[in-house]
Amino acid sequence: LAVIIVKFLSVFMYKRSIVTAITLTACITFVFEFFQFWMFILLKGEGNVSFALTKLIFPQVFINMGCAVVLYGLFKFMWKKMHVERERW
């Protein structure tokens, strides 16, 4: 589900603004991590949801948001560089 959402939405959203990139990354990470926690831990009858949210899921969301900021800058730089190279030809 996360891959499908990113595939369809990232094509035009990542070009718009960094806020959109960070929001999309946070939402996708939260859905993926919570689904993974639910499938592997909660279905077995183990685990604590509040512990998982505070110690596992939200830290991963914030790490991915930080990575999104870095990758967004890299993406914008490469996008401008490709257009400059294309104009030279």
Side-chain angles (χ1 to χ4, degrees), residues 14-15 71-81:
Y14 273 75
K15 295 177 187 175
L71 291 176
Y72 180 81
L74 182 64
F75 176 77
K76 291 296 271 192
F77 173 76
M78 289 173 49
W79 185 259
K80 289 178 184 177
K81 189 76 169 169

Side-chain angles (χ1 to χ4, degrees), residues 25-77:
T25 302
C27 293
I28 294 301
T29 304
F30 181 79
V31 168
F32 176 76
E33 292 291 332
F34 189 78
F35 182 73
Q36 184 177 1
F37 172 74
W38 181 65
M39 290 298 290
F40 293 115
I41 296 175
L42 285 182
L43 288 180
K44 293 180 183 178
E46 303 170 0
N48 185 354
V49 176
S50 63
F51 173 79
L53 286 174
T54 58
K55 302 293 184 194
L56 301 174
I57 296 172
F58 283 132
Q60 190 66 33
V61 168
F62 292 126
I63 289 169
N64 285 351
M65 286 170 57
C67 291
V69 170
V70 173
L71 291 176
Y72 180 81
L74 182 64
F75 176 77
K76 291 296 271 192
F77 173 76

Side-chain angles (χ1 to χ4, degrees), residues 6 12 20 30:
V6 168
F12 61 92
T20 306
F30 181 79

